[in-house]
Amino acid sequence: MGERDAARERTPVGATAAGRPRAPRLDQPRPPRRRIVPEWDPEAFGRLSERIARFLGTGRFIVWMTVVIILWVLWNVSAPKELRFDEYPFIFLTLMLSLQASYAAPLILLAQNRQDDRDRVNLEQDRKQNERSIADTEYLTREIAALRIGLGEVATRDWIRSELEDLVKDLEIRQNGHKEQHGPYPVMRAEHPPGRDADDR
């Protein structure tokens, strides 16, 4: 017992806890990792690329680019040599235009990909809507067929009217035939039927 108490006194209480690796706590979110590459919102970047692609596809961009190129060339041709920043072969202008083209092409492709994704989603929704419409149409067709079959067994107003007309005609025919057989005046019955005599009493 004495050796165990001495060993407990020599071992500090927090030594075993400090030696173990700390497990991540489940009740707290993980700390954000440090990344070398900067993060950005892909949705915001996609919207920006679509705006740029729309602007590049307008006549306004062509007019502004033409004006800038003309001013660039005129300045570097007619301005004093001390103020010129791009001499005759206009290498810097060529570099700027190629840089603009190299950025414009991926932006346009990104905008087209986003548009293709939207079109794909719209086509999928249209396909589902068409399937629902076809199912509803088939259901209504079956219901209408069932109603027609049910109405075929129901007495309609025209059918009842035709049956009543037939009954009236039948009654008229019978009444006219009865009048022709017995004459206009009915014959009174005798008190004693013929053929009876006193012996029958």
Side-chain angles (χ1 to χ4, degrees):
M1 293 294 293
E3 293 178 0
R4 288 182 183 177
D5 294 338
R8 286 178 185 173
E9 289 177 0
R10 285 196 300 268
T11 305
V13 178
T16 55
R20 287 190 217 157
R22 277 181 129 185
R25 296 187 60 176
L26 298 177
D27 59 341
Q28 293 180 358
R30 289 184 178 181
R33 296 179 181 178
R34 294 180 181 177
R35 296 184 179 180
I36 301 173
V37 181
E39 296 182 2
W40 65 86
D41 185 9
E43 190 67 24
F45 187 74
R47 287 195 296 268
L48 178 62
S49 65
E50 285 182 345
R51 289 179 185 175
I52 295 173
R54 279 197 203 94
F55 178 68
L56 292 177
T58 57
R60 185 185 301 174
F61 170 73
I62 297 174
V63 170
W64 279 108
M65 189 173 67
T66 305
V67 170
V68 168
I69 290 172
I70 290 172
L71 292 176
W72 188 300
V73 171
L74 289 176
W75 179 267
N76 290 297
V77 169
S78 60
K81 288 189 177 181
E82 296 83 9
L83 299 177
R84 296 177 188 175
F85 56 89
D86 192 12
E87 291 297 331
Y88 164 64
F90 306 118
I91 298 173
F92 188 49
L93 177 62
T94 306
L95 177 64
M96 294 299 294
L97 291 176
S98 61
L99 184 66
Q100 180 264 334
S102 64
Y103 272 97
L107 289 173
I108 292 172
L109 288 175
L110 180 59
Q112 287 179 351
N113 291 336
R114 285 173 59 84
Q115 186 63 38
D116 291 340
D117 293 339
R118 280 197 296 269
D119 293 340
R120 192 179 302 109
V121 171
N122 291 334
L123 286 175
E124 185 67 21
Q125 291 178 352
D126 292 341
R127 186 181 64 82
K128 291 181 180 179
Q129 182 66 31
N130 291 335
E131 289 178 355
R132 287 195 294 268
S133 299
I134 291 171
D136 293 341
T137 305
E138 291 178 353
Y139 173 75
L140 290 175
T141 304
R142 289 194 297 269
E143 289 295 321
I144 291 172
L147 287 175
R148 285 181 177 176
I149 293 172
L151 285 175
E153 299 175 356
V154 176
T156 59
R157 183 175 59 184
D158 295 334
W159 182 82
I160 294 173
R161 183 179 297 169
S162 64
E163 290 292 323
L164 289 175
E165 289 177 356
D166 293 340
L167 288 174
V168 169
K169 288 179 182 179
D170 192 13
L171 289 173
E172 289 177 355
I173 291 171
R174 288 184 180 181
Q175 188 174 5
N176 292 334
H178 185 71
K179 286 182 179 179
E180 289 177 359
Q181 288 179 3
H182 298 284
Y185 300 103
V187 178
M188 297 296 293
R189 287 184 179 181
E191 293 183 359
H192 303 285
R196 296 186 67 184
D197 50 5
D199 299 333
D200 294 335
R201 293 180 180 175

